Amino acid sequence: MAGKKQFDIATALEAAMIQFWRAGYADTSVDDLSRATGLNRSSIYSSLGDKDTLFTRCLERYTARYGGKYDAALSCAADRPLAAVRAFFGITLDRIADPALPDGCLVAQTVMATPVLSVGVAARAREAIGLQHTRLRAALEAGRLHEEAAESFATHLAAVNQSLAVMSRAGSSTEQLRAVVDVTLDALARTLDETGRRGGRRA
């Protein structure tokens, strides 16, 4: 029975995450969560917590899932920084293109909803955004960009990545999103080439 309960909780968390992702924190009620998870209100509170607690758990589930994928994509940055960033954006584009998932990004939507969030949830969302910048900067520095360029590009790449989610939710096509990524990758490729020439090596 213990194993069954764990499975049921994992399934309920997944359903709640999708509900929050689709409708947003403010527009998701406990009744909505009850319908999505198949649990009554008392079961939600006893097994998953109140709305803020449940939302935080869903946000952590989301960031762990996609954070792990982003880390894997960027793991080759020391040898192939451009390929690593291309793979990074590929994670986002594949997620957006998946018809089984809601449009947009749960983290981006959460940050934009900061005025209606509790202090704790808002802080967790900002932390998730910050982690994306941190992993990108570390990858670019591993790819031999100097500190200032790595910082600037990490900020830019993180902003582009979040904008893809917003654009997809606004109805932009896959081709339009890929065009945005291509322009960004071209700019990064030029900077990497310049860095490689100055350093006597190919980026």
Side-chain angles (χ1 to χ4, degrees), residues 10-90:
T11 302
L13 283 172
E14 184 72 14
M17 183 187 76
I18 295 297
Q19 172 62 37
F20 280 126
W21 188 353
R22 180 176 291 112
Y25 173 88
D27 291 330
T28 294
S29 67
V30 176
D31 285 340
D32 292 328
L33 293 168
S34 179
R35 284 189 290 271
T37 62
L39 300 173
N40 60 37
R41 294 172 67 96
S42 62
S43 294
I44 289 175
Y45 287 119
S46 63
S47 299
L48 303 175
D50 60 16
K51 183 179 174 181
D52 270 13
T53 299
L54 176 53
F55 184 74
T56 300
R57 293 179 70 176
C58 291
L59 189 61
E60 289 174 350
R61 184 181 184 87
Y62 181 94
T63 56
R65 176 177 301 171
Y66 291 104
K69 292 182 178 183
Y70 286 136
D71 286 338
L74 293 171
S75 63
C76 67
D79 298 318
R80 296 182 294 145
L82 186 63
V85 175
R86 181 179 289 108
F88 172 88
F89 282 124

